[in-house]
């Protein structure tokens, strides 16, 4: 939406002949550089997210504790007498 707005302002400033002011500054923005900046921000966000995931051990902190199964008893006689 931001890139579309910049492109629209660029067309308007060109058609209306606006050469000075904030609209002219927005209209003269280089969209190639803006695209590279956006892609760079996505890559930076991804790298930071992976680093936090690995270094903060997020998966281990939010994992449910595992249930321990009790060891079998020494009484292995079968069948049990129910007296």
């Amino acid at each position: 939406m931001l890139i579309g707005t910049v492109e629209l302002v660029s067309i308007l400033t060109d058609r209306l002949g606006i050469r000075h002011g904030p609209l002219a500054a927005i209209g003269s923005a280089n969209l190639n550089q803006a695209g590279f900046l956006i892609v760079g921000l996505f890559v930076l966000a991804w790298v930071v997210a992976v680093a936090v995931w690995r270094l903060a051990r997020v998966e281990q902190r939010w994992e449910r504790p595992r249930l321990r199964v009790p060891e079998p008893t020494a009484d292995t006689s079968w069948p049990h007498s129910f007296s």
Side-chain angles (χ1 to χ4, degrees):
M1 196 163 153
L2 179 67
I3 298 297
T5 304
V6 170
E7 185 66 29
L8 182 62
V9 169
S10 174
I11 292 170
L12 287 175
T13 56
D14 198 34
R15 299 283 180 173
L16 298 175
I18 299 172
R19 302 286 178 234
H20 303 288
L23 287 179
I26 293 171
S28 66
N30 188 346
L31 293 180
N32 289 334
Q33 289 177 349
F36 285 124
L37 177 67
I38 291 170
V39 169
L41 287 175
F42 275 116
V43 169
L44 178 67
W46 181 79
V47 167
V48 168
V50 168
V52 167
W53 183 265
R54 297 278 181 155
L55 297 176
R57 298 183 179 192
V58 173
E59 193 168 336
Q60 287 85 9
R61 291 170 63 191
W62 290 96
E63 187 176 72
R64 283 192 206 173
R66 295 184 181 184
L67 296 176
R68 291 187 171 212
V69 178
E71 293 291 325
T73 59
D75 182 20
T76 58
S77 60
W78 183 259
H80 294 287
S81 61
F82 298 106
S83 53

